[in-house]
Amino acid sequence: MVHLAVALEGAGWHPAAWREPDARPDELFRPRYWGDLVVEAERGLLDFVTIEDSLGAPRDGRTDRVDGRLDAVLIASRVAPLTRHIGFLPTAVVTHTEPFHLSKAIATLDYVSQGRGGVRVRIASSPEDAAHFGRREFPVPLPDLVEEAGDWVEVVRRLWDSWEDDAEIRDVATGRFIDRGKLHYIDFTGRFFSVKGPSITPRPPQGQPPVAVLSHITEIHRLAARSADVVFVTPHDTGQARAARAEIQELREDLLVFADVVVFLDETEQSARDRKARLDDRAEFTSDALVFTGTPAQLADQLLAWRDAGLSGFRLRPGVLPHDLTAITRGLVPELQQRGAFRREYEASTLRGLLGLERPANRYAGATR
């Protein structure tokens, strides 16, 4: 069985997607739009959705592209209760965001989704992004940004564990709501953060919501091996898929490796090519990931070949929303099911369960406060 996810980005990953006949550009900042997308993704029994986010917007003088975005973590918390099974990994830009704040935001997402929350961490390296905050000079060397991101995740994970699972007593008779002995200081001190804790939010339902990283280079592979449960890679052929998996496996064997693929899907290969060509005529499109144009059956062939190269799953980036999302849920998924390669019903109630990850023990349990 393969794991399957979708990456939601505005009107779609192609910059001209908002101009397509079935696009909904007037709803991009409304909860109904995002709710419809995640309900459709759950209809296809997908493992999780990621929601893109960044600190910068296109400022190249063009007026023909989507500009502006909502906060990914807040979107996920708003629409998660509309679903029952699918997981949520919103993007959090960690370079300029305090880990204490995001730890409780992701814990809250895990509560409102009843154990289906997580986070995809992203580094912001541009001086333009830094100028929004004005706290330090940029550029900063990449190794420092990577080390900071690793410490960020470490602080967040410790904060999630700073409440033991049974710290809440809620005893009306004695007037004790919590057992203070089961709340713990994390006392983290590093180059970038000094955080005492504990959190103000109880331990999330999953204990540790899954953490994901998108990686193109060895340095980020190492960050994923240190800090993540899932890593997204961008191979363009089977050989690259096998090489990426082998490099990551040398760093950590149990890390789940998903390949990213941008998809333009239609009933025939020619109609998919024609649609993408029409979009390309309106706006130039480039991608770090493989751009697949064809039918759901052809995409199934591609994914299963990469699965045999050792990948754990796939994160598909729909070129146009909702068109390519529904092509995934109503075309690709049935194709994979017919080949015995994808689930026919959800087998777990948490995101960790869907990914085959155990609920971890609390690192502070039993320790003296």
Side-chain angles (χ1 to χ4, degrees), residues 97-164:
T97 309
E98 292 295 333
F100 188 91
H101 294 160
L102 262 296
S103 73
K104 66 187 183 69
I106 301 303
T108 299
L109 170 61
D110 206 39
Y111 273 102
V112 300
S113 65
Q114 297 183 313
R116 295 178 286 123
V119 63
R120 178 213 150 192
V121 301
R122 179 175 181 177
I123 292 170
S125 60
S126 76
E128 291 78 14
D129 290 351
H132 294 317
F133 301 87
R135 293 180 179 173
R136 53 182 170 166
E137 295 296 321
F138 263 64
V140 171
L142 179 62
D144 288 354
L145 293 176
V146 173
E147 182 182 352
E148 179 185 36
D151 284 358
W152 188 96
V153 177
E154 178 64 21
V155 170
V156 167
R157 289 192 181 279
R158 292 191 189 192
L159 287 168
W160 286 337
D161 276 349
S162 64
W163 289 54
E164 294 185 37

Side-chain angles (χ1 to χ4, degrees), residues 30-51:
R30 298 178 184 174
R32 185 176 66 177
Y33 173 75
W34 296 97
D36 289 349
L37 294 180
V38 300
V39 168
E40 180 62 32
E42 184 171 75
R43 180 187 184 280
L45 305 177
L46 304 188
D47 289 76
F48 58 86
V49 299
T50 64
I51 302 172

Side-chain angles (χ1 to χ4, degrees), residues 224-225 228-231 245 248-257 312 352 355-357:
D229 303 287
V230 180
V231 58
R245 178 67 186 94
I248 291 168
Q249 192 171 30
E250 286 185 5
L251 296 170
R252 202 179 104 202
E253 289 190 5
D254 65 341
L255 197 58
L256 297 176
V257 182
S312 308
R352 292 190 70 90
L355 295 175
L357 302 172

Side-chain angles (χ1 to χ4, degrees), residues 32-352:
R32 185 176 66 177
Y33 173 75
W34 296 97
D36 289 349
L37 294 180
V38 300
V39 168
E40 180 62 32
E42 184 171 75
R43 180 187 184 280
L45 305 177
L46 304 188
D47 289 76
F48 58 86
V49 299
T50 64
I51 302 172
E52 294 303 299
D53 208 345
S54 69
L55 298 177
R59 299 300 180 200
D60 54 7
R62 300 190 64 150
T63 59
D64 61 345
R65 304 191 179 194
V66 172
D67 202 345
R69 61 170 73 246
L70 300 180
D71 183 274
V73 177
L74 295 180
I75 291 173
S77 291
R78 172 63 176 82
V79 301
L82 302 177
T83 63
R84 296 180 58 195
H85 301 285
I86 195 167
F88 292 85
L89 287 170
T91 298
V93 182
V94 304
T95 307
H96 303 288
T97 309
E98 292 295 333
F100 188 91
H101 294 160
L102 262 296
S103 73
K104 66 187 183 69
I106 301 303
T108 299
L109 170 61
D110 206 39
Y111 273 102
V112 300
S113 65
Q114 297 183 313
R116 295 178 286 123
V119 63
R120 178 213 150 192
V121 301
R122 179 175 181 177
I123 292 170
S125 60
S126 76
E128 291 78 14
D129 290 351
H132 294 317
F133 301 87
R135 293 180 179 173
R136 53 182 170 166
E137 295 296 321
F138 263 64
V140 171
L142 179 62
D144 288 354
L145 293 176
V146 173
E147 182 182 352
E148 179 185 36
D151 284 358
W152 188 96
V153 177
E154 178 64 21
V155 170
V156 167
R157 289 192 181 279
R158 292 191 189 192
L159 287 168
W160 286 337
D161 276 349
S162 64
W163 289 54
E164 294 185 37
D165 290 318
D166 55 351
E168 296 171 87
I169 303 171
R170 307 188 193 98
D171 191 329
V172 175
T174 63
R176 296 180 68 207
F177 189 86
I178 60 172
D179 181 346
R180 294 290 299 177
K182 295 189 176 182
L183 271 61
H184 301 276
Y185 298 122
I186 69 167
D187 291 325
F188 181 93
T189 301
R191 286 181 60 197
F192 308 98
F193 305 106
S194 179
V195 181
K196 189 174 185 62
S199 177
I200 62 172
T201 306
R203 194 177 192 225
Q206 294 180 98
Q208 290 284 321
V211 175
V213 173
L214 170 64
S215 178
H216 304 97
I217 59 175
T218 299
E219 201 143 26
I220 308 299
H221 289 352
R222 294 195 183 101
L223 170 64
R226 171 190 173 187
S227 303
D229 303 287
V230 180
V231 58
F232 306 124
V233 295
T234 55
H236 283 240
D237 57 42
T238 303
Q240 290 181 7
R242 186 175 290 109
R245 178 67 186 94
E247 181 178 358
I248 291 168
Q249 192 171 30
E250 286 185 5
L251 296 170
R252 202 179 104 202
E253 289 190 5
D254 65 341
L255 197 58
L256 297 176
V257 182
F258 279 57
D260 274 19
V261 184
V262 183
V263 298
F264 297 86
L265 300 174
D266 279 296
E267 292 183 0
T268 68
E269 181 178 358
Q270 189 59 52
S271 61
R273 291 185 180 278
D274 290 345
R275 181 165 62 92
K276 182 175 181 297
R278 183 178 70 250
L279 289 161
D280 290 342
D281 286 342
R282 294 172 173 171
E284 180 184 5
F285 174 59
T286 59
S287 177
D288 56 327
L290 173 71
V291 178
F292 181 91
T293 307
T295 68
Q298 290 171 329
L299 179 57
D301 292 338
Q302 176 78 69
L303 300 186
L304 293 182
W306 285 8
R307 177 200 62 179
D308 295 340
L311 296 180
S312 308
F314 306 94
R315 185 176 72 143
L316 305 180
R317 307 179 187 178
V320 176
L321 292 169
H323 180 103
D324 292 304
L325 173 60
T326 56
I328 291 167
T329 58
R330 306 182 192 191
L332 175 65
V333 166
E335 183 70 31
L336 291 172
Q337 289 171 332
Q338 290 175 9
R339 304 187 193 195
F342 195 68
R343 66 169 64 89
R344 292 185 177 273
E345 60 181 16
Y346 282 108
E347 67 278 0
S349 59
T350 68
L351 178 53
R352 292 190 70 90

